[in-house]
Amino acid sequence: MKIWGNSGGRTESRKAPPPPEPKPQRPSPPVRPPSPGRPGAARPSSQEPFEIDWEAVWRREEEARRRQAAARRQAEARSQAEQIPEFVVKAQTNRSPGPRRQAPPPNPKGGKPKKKKKRHWFRNLLLTVLLLTGLYCVAVFSNIPFIAKWRTIYIETAMSTMTHQWLATAFIPPSVIEQVEGNREKQENEQLTLESNWNNLQTPSFDFGQAELSPWEKLKDEFFQNYPEIQQQSFEDYMEEHQDEAIDENGYLTIDQAGLDQEGTDIETIHGDQVLAVDTANGLTICKVTGEGYVGRLAIIKNPAQVGVALAPGYGSVGGQAADIAEKRDAVLLTNASGFYDPEGHGNGGVAHGLVVSGGKRHNGAVGGTYKTVGLDGENRLHVGPYKKGADYRDAVEFKPALIIDGQQAVEGSAGWGVQPRTAIGQTSDGTILLLVVDGRAPGYSIGCTVGDCAEILGRYGAVQACNLDGGSSSIMVYNGRVISRPSAANKTDGRHIPNGIAVYRRDNASNGAGGTQDDETIGE
């Protein structure tokens, strides 16, 4: 219902009086019409002063009441679900609805309009560079003990190789590398005067009998006296189940589970290491040694007279693979021994670096300096010390550093040599020879060990003299014609070519201080 009037008051319906005579007036300016579609806008009229659409007003108020009621119901539901305080509910229900957000204009090209992305690539790049720079500075220059320890081992490991030194030189300042290298040189100089002296030890005679090499029927009553490294209960349990297969056709105890595809035995050593092989025909035991980050093999040889230096068949021109050297020299077990010239990791192992004496014949001269002579004399005693002109060795090589001298451990930790695959030799006070090979460069299986780890392993098994030998990709152990370690060389199966090895000659081929047939030419000093 439309009402006309100035006060907006309601008037009774009556017949309108006739309009007065129009008076001439000035033309009024044009009035801008209200926006179309706007609710409640005044309709154009020639009457004064305005027109009110009460129906539109009532519709707006009713719509507002419906919205408030709906908001109240939603707020009460949320309050029950989320335990919203009552005063918040009231504030939400009494809040007048705000203007609706208008939809963005349609995309003239069709499809949904694309949101403008804020790109902060430069800021992110800058933050990344700053973070990496900070981490680099901490890793390279920090004196925090944990970081300094592993930084040193990383540098030592890289710099002690022939082909991977760039892993340190490409990322680490020369001053930091020189500091680490200087520490290694200092420790090597401290070893210059170290030398084996068996007179300082209370040792029994090395008169090696034949009990250790006897058939099982003769040996079994004294087995644990001759093989004291074997844990008795685990051995007896194993023999109770496997005795028939453990005795060979000649009556010797021969347990061989040392292959890489074999799981070993349930026998343990007295130090808790798994026994892989017991060979009473050749007087040796092989066990698996493990530690933090490394896996290795330790051979325990009862008769030192069976141990010597075996040359590659083509020594002087080309080296040989370990299994080939063992077969040629009739060795039941063999490890690598000497280092050799190895440009860019492509050396052929033809000539050893340092002193080489095999079967009393000298095949290469000594380098001396910080290198240690590692040799067996005529009494089968292992000597570790500086080279002495005129020294009488039946078998010898040269390497460093010394690990144990006269029962005292000579190195701790990495000692400048990092973490690598390792080969080492030692001897106990009763003459037993220990040959150790530790696998490496195989994350998830064995990354290698430090020279300090080697010293601890050999010392645990009673070594009183011990020295490190060539390691890295040369480290390998062969037993009964097959490789039983995991070489880190390019040839993962047979290893690389090496100039010589420490051989354990078969019992029938060993004599007092000689083993194998070595027809190579002798080289003088």
Side-chain angles (χ1 to χ4, degrees):
M1 177 178 182
K2 298 179 182 178
I3 308 298
W4 302 89
N6 290 332
S7 64
R10 188 179 184 90
T11 60
E12 295 182 359
S13 297
R14 63 178 177 268
K15 187 176 181 180
E21 292 291 333
K23 296 180 180 180
Q25 296 180 355
R26 286 183 177 179
S28 59
V31 179
R32 183 178 180 182
S35 301
R38 179 174 144 195
R43 296 180 180 179
S45 173
S46 59
Q47 299 191 25
E48 291 296 339
F50 59 84
E51 179 183 0
I52 299 177
D53 189 347
W54 289 105
E55 292 182 358
V57 173
W58 294 337
R59 284 197 301 271
R60 287 200 305 272
E61 290 178 352
E62 183 66 23
E63 181 67 22
R65 283 193 295 272
R66 285 198 299 269
R67 289 180 182 176
Q68 287 182 355
R72 185 180 298 107
R73 288 193 297 271
Q74 293 177 359
E76 290 174 353
R78 287 199 305 271
S79 175
Q80 294 175 359
E82 303 177 5
Q83 298 299 320
I84 301 176
E86 187 67 25
F87 70 89
V88 176
V89 176
K90 291 181 179 179
Q92 290 180 345
T93 55
N94 294 331
R95 185 175 59 190
S96 61
R100 294 185 178 181
R101 184 176 181 181
Q102 294 183 354
N107 191 344
K109 295 183 180 180
K112 295 182 179 180
K114 294 183 179 180
K115 294 182 179 180
K116 187 177 181 181
K117 295 182 179 180
K118 296 182 179 180
R119 298 185 177 180
H120 302 293
W121 63 268
F122 180 77
R123 183 190 66 184
N124 294 339
L125 177 62
L126 181 61
L127 290 175
T128 302
V129 171
L130 291 175
L131 177 62
L132 293 176
T133 301
L135 292 175
Y136 173 82
C137 292
V138 170
V140 173
F141 300 107
S142 174
N143 290 323
I144 298 174
F146 177 81
I147 297 175
K149 170 189 172 182
W150 288 105
R151 178 180 66 237
T152 299
I153 290 177
Y154 175 83
I155 295 173
E156 293 171 347
T157 302
M159 298 304 293
S160 61
T161 66
M162 297 294 294
T163 59
H164 295 88
Q165 294 185 3
W166 64 271
L167 290 172
T169 58
F171 308 106
I172 300 175
S175 59
V176 178
I177 296 176
E178 290 171 1
Q179 182 180 2
V180 173
E181 292 286 274
N183 183 53
R184 169 176 165 173
E185 183 178 353
K186 177 183 176 182
Q187 294 193 57
E188 289 181 355
N189 288 333
E190 290 175 353
Q191 285 202 356
L192 284 175
T193 58
L194 291 180
E195 181 179 4
S196 299
N197 186 351
W198 284 91
N199 294 327
N200 295 333
L201 300 171
Q202 298 293 328
T203 60
S205 170
F206 279 15
D207 293 335
F208 187 78
Q210 295 299 312
E212 295 86 346
L213 308 179
S214 300
W216 179 244
E217 287 301 321
K218 294 182 180 180
L219 178 62
K220 64 181 180 180
D221 293 335
E222 298 180 353
F223 177 77
F224 297 108
Q225 286 77 18
N226 292 292
Y227 292 83
E229 69 274 8
I230 302 293
Q231 201 274 333
Q232 183 171 352
Q233 186 61 52
S234 64
F235 179 79
E236 290 176 349
D237 292 343
Y238 181 87
M239 289 297 291
E240 184 176 351
E241 185 176 353
H242 299 91
Q243 180 163 345
D244 292 340
E245 61 191 72
I247 307 301
D248 68 12
E249 58 185 8
N250 297 317
Y252 289 95
L253 177 65
T254 306
I255 300 172
D256 184 0
Q257 293 291 315
L260 294 176
D261 59 345
Q262 296 174 305
E263 297 181 355
T265 73
D266 295 328
I267 306 171
E268 294 183 352
T269 69
I270 58 175
H271 302 291
D273 296 315
Q274 182 187 28
V275 172
L276 303 178
V278 180
D279 184 350
T280 60
N282 294 291
L284 65 85
T285 302
I286 302 173
C287 64
K288 179 180 179 180
V289 292
T290 59
E292 185 177 357
Y294 68 82
V295 177
R297 305 288 189 272
L298 177 67
I300 304 171
I301 301 97
K302 301 302 175 179
N303 186 357
Q306 290 179 244
V307 179
V309 176
L311 302 180
Y315 182 81
S317 58
V318 63
Q321 291 178 325
D324 295 335
I325 299 174
E327 182 181 8
K328 176 69 174 178
R329 304 306 183 190
D330 195 26
V332 65
L333 185 142
L334 184 136
T335 71
N336 64 296
S338 296
F340 54 92
Y341 181 60
D342 190 24
E344 302 299 325
H346 300 297
N348 67 1
V351 179
H353 179 74
L355 180 68
V356 176
V357 179
S358 178
K361 295 181 180 180
R362 184 188 182 95
H363 296 270
N364 206 56
V367 295
T370 57
Y371 277 79
K372 299 295 183 184
T373 300
V374 187
L376 289 161
D377 63 15
E379 296 181 349
N380 299 320
R381 296 181 186 274
L382 182 69
H383 292 268
V384 179
Y387 170 73
K388 291 183 178 180
K389 188 174 181 179
D392 184 18
Y393 296 110
R394 68 163 175 88
D395 290 274
V397 295
E398 214 174 6
F399 213 78
K400 61 181 176 180
L403 302 178
I404 300 173
I405 299 294
D406 296 342
Q408 299 297 317
Q409 187 168 326
V411 290
E412 296 287 344
S414 60
W417 289 81
V419 174
Q420 298 282 7
R422 298 285 176 205
T423 302
I425 184 172
Q427 189 175 40
T428 68
S429 60
D430 65 357
T432 298
I433 294 290
L434 306 174
L435 292 176
L436 173 66
V437 170
V438 174
D439 300 329
R441 300 178 185 170
Y445 165 66
S446 177
I447 61 173
C449 70
T450 66
V451 290
D453 292 329
C454 290
E456 291 174 3
I457 295 169
L458 296 173
R460 186 164 69 240
Y461 280 87
V464 294
Q465 315 290 353
C467 190
N468 185 49
L469 299 175
D470 188 27
S473 58
S474 298
S475 287
I476 191 170
M477 180 180 285
V478 173
Y479 174 62
N480 273 339
R482 69 195 192 281
V483 177
I484 64 170
S485 63
R486 298 185 185 273
S488 61
N491 186 337
K492 306 296 183 185
T493 303
D494 301 315
R496 65 184 311 186
H497 287 73
I498 55 178
N500 55 30
I502 302 296
V504 180
Y505 299 108
R506 296 186 185 277
R507 174 173 65 107
D508 296 336
N509 195 31
S511 61
N512 279 335
T517 303
Q518 317 263 345
D519 297 328
D520 306 86
E521 181 182 355
T522 301
I523 300 175
E525 292 183 356

